[in-house]
Amino acid sequence: MDEKLNTGIFNSSETLPQIADKTDVIVEKIIKMVKGYSPKANTDMIYVAYRMAKAAHKNQFRKSGEPYIIHPVQIAYIAAELSMDNVAICAGLLHDVIEDTPYTFDDIVLLFGRSVAEIVDGVTKLKKIQYRDHQEEQVENLRKMFFAMSKDIRVVMIKLIDRLHNMRTLGFMPTEKQLYIAKETLDVYAPLAHRLGISKIKSELEDLSLKYLDPVAYEEITESISRKKSEREAFVADIIDALKKRMTENGIDCEITGRAKHFYSIFRKMYAQNKTIDEIYDLFAVRVIVNTVAECYAVLGMVHEMYTPLPMRFKDYIAMPKPNMYQSLHTTVVGTDGTPFEIQIRTHEMHKVAQEGIAAHWKYKEGKAGADSMDKELEWVRKLMETQADIMDADVFMNSLKIDMFSDQVFAFTPQGKVIPLPNGSTVIDFAFAIHTQVGSKMVGAKANGKIVTNSYKLQNGDIIEIMTSPQAKGPSRDWLKIVKTSQAKSKINQWLKHERRDENIVHGKEMLEKEAKRLNIPFAKLFREEWLLPVYRKYTLGGIEDLYASVGYGGLSSQKIVMRLREEYIREQKKNQPAESRPTHTVRKKTNLSGIEVKGIDNCLVRLSKCCNPVPGDDIVGFITKGRGVSVHRADCPNIQPDVLSEEDRNRFIKVNWTGENRSSYIATLRVEAEDGPGMMMKVTTVLAELSMNCVSINARSTKDGMSVMTFGVEIQGTEELKKAMTRIGGISGVVDVTRTTN
C-alpha cells in the first residue's frame, strides 16, 4: 500500500481542553523529528513560533469547534514528516498569523528572520484587495503564490500541506463551500502536487476531492474494495511469494509490497473506459524495490520470464523520467489465472523521490544555499512565471496554467537526441520555441521523422523533430497563435508581435473592440469614454488608449472582457439618466429567473428547464437541486424524479418552484400521435398545427406491424392551454386513435 502522511495526530474521543494541551506534546515530537534528520537545526525557533501562534490564535476556533492552534500544529507535523527544515516548519506554524491576527510581516521578520516571513507572506491570501469576481481573486492569489514559489519552493510546500489538512476537515464546512474547495483542489492543488512529484499529497487530495464532488461514486468504490479486500490480498500475496522466491534464487536483495490504486485513479479508469469496478482487475500493483539500476532491469527480465507481458504496456521511466522526477519501470503482465496486474520496479532512491517528489531533494535540510540540482528542478516554475507575466486576463491565465502544468506530456527528440517534454497536443511550433526563442522566431518549416510536416502537426511520443530556420524569415505569424498549445510559445509570439508590429496590433485591437461593441449593439464612441477607461488603464498598467488597443491586438487582453466592463458603466449611466416617469414603480422580484420560474428562498439562482419532460407554463412543477448546475425544473409527473427511482439523499434535494407569469418565452412540448397508417395523415396533423399558428420544430414518424403509424411533433407553445387546444383539434382528425404529450 502507498505510504500516506499522518492522517491525524489527535484522538477524536478527546475533549477540547485535552486536545489543546496535547499540542505542546506534539510540538515536542516535531522538534525531536527535526533533530533526527537535521541535527544542526535551530529547533528553539520552532518552539518560539509555536508559542506565538498559540497566543495569536488563542480565541479562535475552527468550524469543527476545535481550537484553531490544532490546524497550524498539524501542518508543522506533516512538514516534519516530509523532512522540511526549521524555517519551513516555523512558517507552517505561523502561516495564518498575518492573515487572521494583528501580527504583521515586520513582526515575523523581527522575531524569525526574512525567510520565515516571506514564506508566510507567500502563502497569505490577498484579502485586502477588492476584486470584481472570485475567479479574478483566485488567479491573483495563484499568481502571487507561483511568484513566491519561484524564489522559494517552501511556499508551495506549506500551501499544499495547508490544503491537505483543510480537505481532511472539510466535512464541517457548508455544502456549497465543500463543492467549491473540492473542485479547486482537484483542478489546481492535486495537479500541482503531481507536478512536484509528491504522490503522498497528490493521491490524498484527489481521493478527498472525489469524496465531496461525487460521494456516490466514492462510496461505491470504497465499499467494493472493502468487500473484496481479502480476495485481492490473497491474489497479491501469491504473486509476492512467487517473486520473492525467484529474487532469492538469483541473489537479489529487494523489498516487495502490494500497492492499491487510490480511489480517484479507479474512478478515472471507470469513467474513461466506461466500466464498473468489478470489470477493473488491476486495482492492485506489485512494487519491487532494489538497490541499483542494473538490478531494476534484471528483475524486469525475470518478471517477463515468470509472467506473460501485455503488449504496449511497458514503460521505462528510468531511461526517460517524468517531468516531476518520477523514475520506475512499469510492466503489465498476465497472472497464471489470466488476471492482468501491474508490476513496478525501482531503486530505494527512486522510491523516495516517487513518494516525496521535490521534498526528497530538499536543499534546505542543512541550511544550504546557492545553486544545486534543486534549482534545475525549479526551472519550470521560473519559465512559467516568465510566460505568464504578460497575461492579464483571469480566464486566459487559468487556461494556460492548466495546459502548461497539468496536461499529460508528450516526449519528442531533437536530431541530436535531446528530449523535449511538452503538453499533449503541442505542435512543431511549440517544439521550436521550447528549444529557443530565436529558433521559433526564425522557423520556416519542420520535419517529423525525416518527412516535411505542416506547422499544425501535433507531436507524437518518440518523434524526431527537425526545425528548419532562415535568417530571412519574417517572424511569427498571428495565425500561429491559433495553432500553438503552450503558453511559452504564445507568450514568445505575442512578445514578438508586441514589439515588432505595434502599429498593426493597434489597428487589429481597435477592430476587435469595435466588433465586440457592435455585437452588443452599443455605439463604440459612447462606450469608450476616457473616464470609464481610466480604471482599466490603472488595473493593467497601460499608458492610454493605444496601449489598450495594442494589448488587445497581440492577445494580452480579452476584447470581450474589456467591452463587458465598459458596458456595466454604460448601463449604469443609462439607468441614471432615465426619466423618473418612465422608471418602473413596482419592485422587481429578485427571485424570478429568466425562464419565468420563482425559486422559493433563493435569489438569482441558475434555473434550467429539464429536457427529459419539457415543462411549460401551466404544468405542475418541482425543482431539483443539482450538483453544480443550479436548479433543474421538472414536471411533477416526470418519471425521472419519482421517489422510487431516487436515492434517499436525492429525495432531500427537492425545492419549491412556481411559474411567475412574467416571462413570455416559447417552450418546446412533444406530442405523440397514434393513427391509422395511410397517405396524407402527417399532412393533416401539420395542417392543424399551421392553422393554430404553432411552429413545429421537429417531426418523426414510423409504421408499426399492426398497420398503425406513430408520429411525434416538437412544437413551440406559450403554455398548457395552447397545448390542450392543439391536442383536441388533432384528436378530432379522422383516423387518429390517440394524442398524448410525452416526457421527452
Side-chain angles (χ1 to χ4, degrees), residues 635-660:
R635 284 166 46 189
D637 61 351
C638 176
N640 291 332
I641 59 161
Q642 299 310 305
D644 57 332
V645 299
L646 295 176
S647 66
E648 183 177 350
E649 178 191 358
D650 287 344
R651 288 198 288 271
N652 295 322
R653 287 161 57 190
F654 287 106
I655 191 169
K656 188 174 181 181
V657 293
N658 299 301
W659 297 106
T660 65

Side-chain angles (χ1 to χ4, degrees), residues 436-477:
H436 196 278
T437 302
Q438 287 302 313
V439 175
S441 299
K442 299 297 181 181
M443 174 179 168
V444 293
K447 291 181 181 180
N449 307 314
K451 296 180 180 179
I452 293 177
V453 294
T454 63
N455 286 346
S456 60
Y457 174 81
K458 292 184 179 179
L459 304 175
Q460 305 296 315
N461 272 320
D463 277 350
I464 299 174
I465 304 296
E466 180 185 352
I467 302 298
M468 297 178 285
T469 61
S470 170
Q472 286 74 45
K474 295 180 180 179
S477 161

Side-chain angles (χ1 to χ4, degrees), residues 223-246:
E223 287 178 12
S224 180
I225 288 178
S226 176
R227 191 168 57 248
K228 296 189 177 182
K229 183 179 180 182
S230 58
E231 177 185 327
R232 291 194 180 98
E233 285 182 346
F235 172 74
V236 172
D238 289 342
I239 295 167
I240 291 175
D241 289 343
L243 287 172
K244 281 183 177 178
K245 183 178 179 182
R246 179 61 66 92

